Each structure stands twice: as structure tokens, then as C-alpha cells.
Amino acid sequence: MLPVEYLRPGVEPDDLPALFPLLRARDALNAFTALFRGTDEDVLVRLLVLREIGQRGEQPLWSPQELRSHFAYLEETKLQTVLHRLRDTDLLVYNAESALYQIGPYGRMALSSLSVLLRFSEEEGGEIGYITSQVAASQSLGKVAHEDLQHLLSRLNELEDEFNRAVLSGSEVRIRRAEKKLGSVLMWVEKGTQIMKVIAADPELDEVTHRVAQRIGQVQSRMLRMSSIFQRTLNQLERQKVHLGQSGLSTSDIHAWLRLLNTNQLCGLLGDAVSFPAQLGCLLGDVALDVAEYELVDRLRVEAETATLPPPQEAPSAEAIPMTAEDLSRLHNFLDELAGVMEPLPLEQAIPAVDFATSSYRLSLAALLGDPESGALDGGVADLARLPVALKLTGGTVKVGAFEIDTMSEGAMVEKKKKRKPVVDAESITAGETVSAAPA
């Protein structure tokens, strides 16, 4: 069980789903721990003895005399120590009845994993081959390991990012190095593509694993196109090379030669090539002035500005908020004029005043005369609605020619005889063709 000192307070090891597979494989992990624990020399000797014992397939059983004879180049005490260590961890099994040694189950698995690891470690790009082989083995056994697919997807994404950054760098050396690395992994990418096609076509594959397999196939397809991208970028760089006269040398040749020199040789090449202090005659005056103005003025101004927030204040109460009184002077003026109407007053005389906006406002107020809903309220509009005056329209139009009004509806203000709700046409007033019209 994982010691609690590795966990935060309140976290239980049983609550960690990722820990369960490791605990279930504790025996196998203990075998690997015993195999690789200690100094580098101890680990190498254990691996050496275990591999030598495991390589005799025809006769897998070893007697102690055969072991001493086979490992005669090892010191006797050290050999016995290694054999006891392997036997105590079940990597090596000793049969007391026959007095013979043989490789244990976990020892076989360790040797098999080590054999694959050593074989791929000798190849460039072997890590992608190793992971691909694990996926292929899982697929051939009929059970694709989701963890192996995630490892493969992660490594492919790392390689794709590395290749893309090489192209963006514009460095010929870096692009050629990436192109060489792509060539070493291209065979495994192609094999991985074939494996992914088989995996993705499996109808019994779960949705999560199928989605990961699809993403792997997409990354592999993009990597297969990287060769053409490298070649196109290198062709562009080739066109940008500078050749030194008729010597056949280019800037790429000079770069390659300079990379072969050490630091002292590079410093010796400088000689008088650099003069100190640098001459400023190449600088443009206006550019230097802009830079100086920023450094001496703008930068200091920004640093001197205070960016602190003002101190907190209480929100003002509703009574303290100033209220602007509504201007109802036009309503009151119109109300006073209509209060004295005793005889019919034509609309072209009662409505127009000041300008078109004021006249439109007065006509809209006139539409409220006798309105019972408006009369039930309080205020100036209610007083207007309760006036004993009615608005009558004839349906025709009359020429005005004043107060920015060209024509308006024909009608009159009359003393109200009975209650009636007037109806006003929405187009009762039309604005004149000019901004201001002369009086008729």
C-alpha cells in the first residue's frame, strides 16, 4: 500500500483509481524492483547472470556445478550473492528435490521485456518502434491495450511538434536533422498506420479506444506528408543561398565549417572583425529620436502613473441623488389655451406653434381629449383629458405653410356636448419640404 506520507491529508489510497493496477501487479513490480535495485554494477551483474541462464532453451535447468563452471569469470562469493538475490525474489527458482535452478515466471517476463528493449534501443527512433510493437502484439492477441495506444499517440504528437518547430525555425541544419529522424521512424509510422486500420475496423472495440485509434491515424497521416514539407522548405532555402564567387562555396558550407570549430577557434577568427565601441553612423536620426523619446519620456510617464484604485465609498441613498424635474411647460401652455375654448376653433389655428416638433406634440395631446383612461389618472395629462373640449376631424387636409408645417388634417376644437373618444389619423401632420416655411 502507498504510504500515507506521500498523500495529502484526507486522501485515501483506495480512492485513487490509477493506483489499483499497480497494487494488483505488486508481485511483478517487486521482481523488477529487486532486479534493478542497487548500484549500476549490481544491476548489470544480475542482468548478466539472469540473461545467461535464460538463453539455454534446450536445457533450461541448471545445476550449481554448471552455474559455477559457466560463470567462472565471476568471483565465487559475488556469484552466490547474485544467485541468492534472484532466488529470493522468485526471478530464479531453485528446486530442492532435483537441486536444479531455472528461470521463474517473472524472470521470463523480465528477460522478454529486456530483450525487446535492448533490440530497439540500438536503432535510431527505436522508441516509436518499441511502442508500435507493443500495440501490434496487443492487437494480434485480440485485446488492444488502451495504455499502449495513449503512449503511441503521445510520442507521435511529440515527434510532429518537433518536426513542425524545425520547419518554422528556418534552419537548414535543424530541418535536415529532423528529416533524418523522420526517415528513421517512417517505417514504423507506416506499419502503425496498417495496424490502426485493423484496430479501427474492429466492431467490438470500445468507443474510447476507437477514438484514440482514429487520432493516431490522423497524426500518422500528417507525419507521412512531412517528407514533402521538408523538401519544399529545403528548396526554398536553397534558392536563398549566397554563393561566394566562382568558388562553389555557399553560406551553408561556411555554416557547416564553423560548426566544426570549438569556442577558442571561433574567437580567434574574430580578430579585428568587430570594433568596439560600435559605430552609430548607420542609425537613422528619426528612428533614434523615436527610441530616445520613448525611453526618456513615455516609459517614465507610464512608471510614474498611479494605477491604484480609489478608496471604497458607501453607495449614495436614493434621497441624495439629484432629480431633474420634467419640463411640462408646453403641456401647461396648451392646457391654458384650450381651457377658454367656447366656440369652434380650427385646428390650423389651435395646433401649430413654435416648430414642427412642438406642433406634433400638441396634436398628440389633443388626441387625449375625452379619453376616459387618461382622465382617471392624476397630473396635467389627466386635466387635459377632462376638459369639456372635443376634437373633430373632417377627413380633409388644410394648407398651413408656417411653423415648419406644410399641411395638416382639417378639423376643429369644439365645446364637448357628449362623451366621445376621438380617433386621430397617424398621418395627420406632414413635415414641410423645407426645414422652415414662411408664414402664409
Side-chain angles (χ1 to χ4, degrees):
M1 184 63 67
L2 188 68
V4 294
E5 58 265 20
Y6 285 93
L7 303 176
R8 294 185 176 220
V11 178
E12 294 294 334
D14 295 337
D15 297 336
L16 302 175
L19 185 59
F20 177 73
L22 300 178
L23 295 177
R24 185 174 55 185
R26 180 179 298 175
D27 294 338
L29 295 179
N30 288 338
F32 277 91
T33 301
L35 186 60
F36 292 99
R37 175 177 290 177
T39 63
D40 294 344
E41 293 78 9
D42 295 337
V43 173
L44 286 176
V45 172
R46 291 188 204 120
L47 292 176
L48 172 65
V49 173
L50 192 64
R51 290 187 71 206
E52 287 294 311
I53 295 175
Q55 284 182 355
R56 199 169 73 172
E58 294 82 4
Q59 296 181 357
L61 302 179
W62 292 72
S63 65
Q65 293 78 12
E66 289 176 330
L67 290 175
R68 282 194 296 268
S69 175
H70 188 84
F71 296 105
Y73 53 86
L74 294 178
E75 202 273 328
E76 177 68 20
T77 305
K78 298 294 184 182
L79 175 61
Q80 294 300 325
T81 302
V82 171
L83 292 176
H84 281 292
R85 181 60 180 268
L86 296 176
R87 189 175 63 185
D88 292 341
T89 55
D90 293 333
L91 293 170
L92 195 63
V93 178
Y94 178 73
N95 191 334
E97 182 179 354
S98 60
L100 297 176
Y101 286 94
Q102 68 182 52
I103 300 293
Y106 290 123
R108 289 291 179 191
M109 289 190 289
L111 288 178
S112 177
S113 302
L114 185 63
S115 175
V116 178
L117 181 64
L118 293 177
R119 185 171 69 253
F120 282 101
S121 63
E122 298 173 357
E123 303 177 7
E124 187 176 0
E127 78 286 355
I128 191 71
Y130 179 80
I131 301 173
T132 305
S133 67
Q134 299 300 311
V135 175
S138 301
Q139 186 272 328
S140 62
L141 293 175
K143 180 61 177 178
V144 180
H146 182 267
E147 188 174 356
D148 291 339
L149 290 179
Q150 289 289 358
H151 291 323
L152 180 58
L153 177 60
S154 175
R155 185 54 187 156
L156 288 174
N157 283 327
E158 291 173 354
L159 289 173
E160 184 184 19
D161 180 68
E162 180 181 347
F163 296 155
N164 288 332
R165 283 188 283 108
V167 173
L168 293 176
S169 68
S171 170
E172 181 182 3
V173 177
R174 192 170 175 181
I175 293 175
R176 291 194 181 279
R177 189 185 301 121
E179 186 180 28
K180 181 180 178 182
K181 189 170 187 178
L182 175 63
S184 65
V185 303
L186 206 56
M187 177 185 66
W188 295 110
V189 172
E190 293 175 351
K191 291 184 177 180
T193 302
Q194 299 173 1
I195 297 172
M196 288 305 110
K197 290 180 180 179
V198 177
I199 293 176
D202 187 0
E204 298 181 359
L205 198 65
D206 60 276
E207 183 180 355
V208 177
T209 307
H210 185 269
R211 196 157 48 241
V212 176
Q214 284 184 328
R215 288 201 292 267
I216 291 175
Q218 293 170 0
V219 179
Q220 288 174 334
S221 299
R222 292 196 297 269
M223 289 186 63
L224 292 175
R225 296 194 297 267
M226 288 302 299
S227 296
S228 60
I229 296 176
F230 285 149
Q231 191 59 46
R232 184 168 60 252
T233 307
L234 290 174
N235 292 338
Q236 294 175 354
L237 294 177
E238 185 69 25
R239 290 194 297 268
Q240 298 173 2
K241 283 184 180 179
V242 177
H243 293 270
L244 305 180
Q246 302 298 325
S247 63
L249 297 176
S250 65
T251 51
S252 298
D253 300 322
I254 298 176
H255 292 163
W257 176 71
L258 290 175
R259 283 191 298 273
L260 299 176
L261 304 180
N262 56 35
T263 305
N264 294 330
Q265 292 172 329
L266 290 174
C267 293
L269 291 176
L270 291 177
D272 298 330
V274 178
S275 58
F276 297 97
Q279 302 296 323
L280 301 179
C282 60
L283 298 180
L284 298 177
D286 53 349
V287 176
L289 183 61
D290 291 340
V291 175
E293 182 180 2
Y294 171 75
E295 295 292 339
L296 300 177
V297 180
D298 294 341
R299 185 189 294 274
L300 297 178
R301 181 184 296 120
V302 172
E303 294 177 355
E305 289 180 352
T306 17
T308 56
L309 295 174
Q313 296 181 358
E314 295 292 337
S317 60
E319 294 78 6
I321 299 177
M323 301 294 293
T324 304
E326 186 179 2
D327 185 13
L328 299 177
S329 58
R330 293 185 296 179
L331 171 61
H332 294 305
N333 293 338
F334 189 53
L335 189 60
D336 295 339
E337 294 177 9
L338 295 182
V341 173
M342 303 297 294
E343 297 180 357
L345 179 63
L347 285 183
E348 63 270 19
Q349 298 179 14
I351 298 300
V354 184
D355 52 18
F356 179 78
T358 304
S359 302
S360 299
Y361 174 70
R362 289 162 66 94
L363 184 60
S364 64
L365 291 177
L368 299 177
L369 291 172
D371 184 14
E373 295 181 2
S374 301
L377 303 176
D378 295 329
V381 175
D383 295 338
L384 177 69
R386 289 194 289 264
L387 286 176
V389 180
L391 173 64
K392 288 190 177 182
L393 300 175
T394 62
T397 58
V398 62
K399 185 75 173 177
V400 177
F403 302 110
E404 303 179 2
I405 301 173
D406 183 20
T407 59
M408 66 175 294
S409 299
E410 185 179 15
M413 297 285 191
V414 298
E415 186 178 3
K416 185 166 56 174
K417 301 300 183 180
K418 59 180 179 179
K419 293 183 179 180
R420 180 182 179 186
K421 186 175 181 180
V423 178
V424 181
D425 187 0
E427 302 294 334
S428 57
I429 298 181
T430 59
E433 296 182 0
T434 59
V435 176
S436 60

